[in-house]
Amino acid sequence: MLLRLQIHKLLNGYRHPFSIDLETNASCTRKCSYCPTDPKNKTQLDMPTIRSVVDQLREWKFKGIIYPSSYNEPLADKRIVSILEHICKNLPEARVSVNTNGDLLTSELVGKLNDIGVASFNVSLHEPLSPQPEKRLRLISAMYSNVYLVDMRDGRRLFSLFNRAGSVDVGPIKKLPGCFMVDRMTIRADGNVVLCCNDYRKEVILGNVKETSLREIWNEPEYRKLRRRIWFGRYELPICKRCGHEARPNTKLFKDIQSVSSYGQKRMEPVYTPASKRDRSLAPQR
C-alpha cells in the first residue's frame, strides 16, 4: 500500500486524492469499543450532493478507490444499491470497495453488487459474533473471491487498531513516522470534508461538498502544505499529536486490508463469475 501511494505521489503529486471515503449515511448496526461512532445518528448525504460528487470525480478523471463508508455501516443505507450503481456507471475506471461489518450482507446482495461493478468487499468480524452469522459470512467469502474477511476480535487481530485521534482508548500507542492517510479524501454524511479518516469529531474541517467543489477543497494551498507536512511526519495539529496506533506485540500496522484479510484463510474456488469484463479485471487474484 505504501509503495502504491508513493508511486501515486510521483505520478500525480497532490492533484487528486488516492481514495475517497464517501459516507452516504452516518448510522451503524453496531457499537464497538474501538469505534467512536453513534449508532443512533441518522444523518444521510442527500442524493443530489452524491451525484454532484460523482460528477466532479468524473470530470477529475478519478481512477482511485471509492469506499462508501467512514464511521457508518453502508449497507444500512437503503439507497446503497442505487448509489453504488450510479458510481460504477459514471466512474468506470475507479474501484469501488465496500467496507462492512457483515450484519446485513447476503450472498444475493454480493451478487447484485458484483453485477453492477463493485470490485471488492472487506467484511470485518466483530464481537459479539455468534457461530451462525460467522458461518454465513465464511460461506459468502468462500462463494465469492472478492469477499475478504477481516477478524477484528481480540486475540485474532493481525494488525494494530488506531485510537481515532484520541476518540477511543486502545491502550499505549505508537506514532507513524509519516502519515499516508491524508492522501485520501474523507467526506462525512453532512457533507463536511475532514482532515483524514481518523477525524471522527470533525476537528479539522477543510470544506463542505455542498458549498465548495472537490477540486477547490483538495487543492487549497494551505491544505496542500499541511498534507505534505503530515506526510513527512510533522505533526503540528493537536489531532495529529494525539493520534496513533495500538502498540501491541504480534500485530502490524494495517496497511492493506486485502493482504491482511487473506492470512490463514483456505478458500474454496469461487462459484461466481463477474458479469462484465471490468469486474473480471478488478476481481482479486489468488
Side-chain angles (χ1 to χ4, degrees), residues 30 101-107 123 129-143 149:
R30 289 178 175 258
N101 60 30
D103 286 350
L104 304 174
L105 191 69
T106 65
S107 58
V123 184
L129 185 64
S130 58
Q132 196 61 31
E134 181 171 356
K135 181 180 179 181
R136 170 178 56 85
L137 294 174
R138 292 196 179 279
L139 284 173
I140 294 173
S141 179
M143 290 174 63
L149 300 184

Side-chain angles (χ1 to χ4, degrees), residues 5-30:
L5 286 168
Q6 289 166 352
I7 293 173
H8 167 77
K9 273 268 191 291
L10 291 172
L11 296 179
N12 301 293
Y14 291 89
R15 289 197 302 273
H16 59 75
F18 179 77
S19 62
I20 304 287
D21 294 334
L22 182 61
E23 189 181 61
T24 66
N25 65 310
S27 62
C28 188
T29 58
R30 289 178 175 258

Side-chain angles (χ1 to χ4, degrees), residues 200-218:
Y200 171 74
R201 296 179 180 139
K202 305 173 191 173
E203 293 182 41
V204 182
I205 296 176
L206 306 166
N208 190 294
V209 295
K210 298 179 182 181
E211 304 166 355
T212 312
S213 73
L214 300 182
R215 196 184 296 268
E216 286 179 281
I217 294 172
W218 187 256

Side-chain angles (χ1 to χ4, degrees), residues 234-272:
R234 293 173 57 186
Y235 302 132
E236 300 159 359
L237 298 176
I239 184 175
C240 297
K241 292 178 180 179
R242 293 195 310 270
C243 196
H245 65 91
E246 193 178 18
R248 294 175 59 229
N250 303 320
T251 60
K252 65 179 183 178
L253 181 60
F254 191 20
K255 296 177 182 176
D256 188 333
I257 194 167
Q258 294 181 359
S259 65
V260 172
S261 60
S262 62
Y263 276 123
Q265 292 191 33
K266 183 178 180 181
R267 291 181 177 273
M268 298 166 54
E269 284 301 311
V271 299
Y272 173 74

Side-chain angles (χ1 to χ4, degrees), residues 24 44-52 79 83 189-191 210:
T24 66
Q44 283 191 332
L45 192 61
D46 60 274
M47 284 304 298
T49 300
I50 292 173
R51 293 192 189 98
S52 173
R79 311 166 299 165
I83 289 173
D190 56 5
K210 298 179 182 181

Side-chain angles (χ1 to χ4, degrees), residues 36-276:
T37 194
D38 178 8
K40 297 180 181 179
N41 188 342
K42 303 301 181 183
T43 305
Q44 283 191 332
L45 192 61
D46 60 274
M47 284 304 298
T49 300
I50 292 173
R51 293 192 189 98
S52 173
V53 167
V54 173
D55 288 344
Q56 292 178 65
L57 290 174
R58 185 175 65 242
E59 293 172 4
W60 217 348
K61 296 181 172 56
F62 181 75
K63 299 180 182 180
I65 308 170
I66 298 178
Y67 301 99
S69 57
S70 181
Y71 288 91
N72 60 318
E73 170 49 52
L75 301 186
D77 190 336
K78 295 181 179 179
R79 311 166 299 165
I80 195 62
V81 174
S82 60
I83 289 173
L84 295 180
E85 185 173 20
H86 182 74
I87 292 173
C88 292
K89 180 180 179 180
N90 288 276
L91 297 170
E93 294 189 87
R95 179 188 178 97
V96 177
S97 184
V98 175
N99 295 330
T100 173
N101 60 30
D103 286 350
L104 304 174
L105 191 69
T106 65
S107 58
E108 293 78 15
L109 181 57
V110 173
K112 181 183 292 187
L113 294 178
N114 273 329
D115 284 342
I116 64 177
V118 171
S120 61
F121 301 80
N122 305 308
V123 184
S124 49
L125 306 181
H126 302 275
E127 297 283 9
L129 185 64
S130 58
Q132 196 61 31
E134 181 171 356
K135 181 180 179 181
R136 170 178 56 85
L137 294 174
R138 292 196 179 279
L139 284 173
I140 294 173
S141 179
M143 290 174 63
Y144 295 94
S145 62
N146 63 342
V147 176
Y148 299 91
L149 300 184
V150 185
D151 208 323
M152 302 289 291
R153 294 170 290 184
D154 285 340
R156 304 188 187 190
R157 276 197 313 277
L158 297 174
F159 55 88
S160 296
L161 298 171
F162 276 86
N163 70 350
R164 299 302 187 183
S167 295
V168 293
D169 182 13
V170 297
I173 62 170
K174 292 181 178 179
K175 302 291 290 183
L176 294 174
C179 187
F180 54 86
M181 294 184 185
V182 290
D183 268 351
R184 63 196 297 173
M185 177 180 278
T186 299
I187 305 170
R188 303 295 298 278
D190 56 5
N192 282 323
V193 177
V194 296
L195 178 65
C196 76
C197 59
N198 282 315
D199 189 1
Y200 171 74
R201 296 179 180 139
K202 305 173 191 173
E203 293 182 41
V204 182
I205 296 176
L206 306 166
N208 190 294
V209 295
K210 298 179 182 181
E211 304 166 355
T212 312
S213 73
L214 300 182
R215 196 184 296 268
E216 286 179 281
I217 294 172
W218 187 256
N219 289 320
E220 200 280 324
E222 290 304 313
Y223 179 30
R224 293 179 63 175
K225 293 176 184 177
L226 176 61
R227 286 202 307 272
R228 184 172 181 82
R229 292 197 299 272
I230 293 173
W231 173 265
F232 288 107
R234 293 173 57 186
Y235 302 132
E236 300 159 359
L237 298 176
I239 184 175
C240 297
K241 292 178 180 179
R242 293 195 310 270
C243 196
H245 65 91
E246 193 178 18
R248 294 175 59 229
N250 303 320
T251 60
K252 65 179 183 178
L253 181 60
F254 191 20
K255 296 177 182 176
D256 188 333
I257 194 167
Q258 294 181 359
S259 65
V260 172
S261 60
S262 62
Y263 276 123
Q265 292 191 33
K266 183 178 180 181
R267 291 181 177 273
M268 298 166 54
E269 284 301 311
V271 299
Y272 173 74
T273 301
S276 69

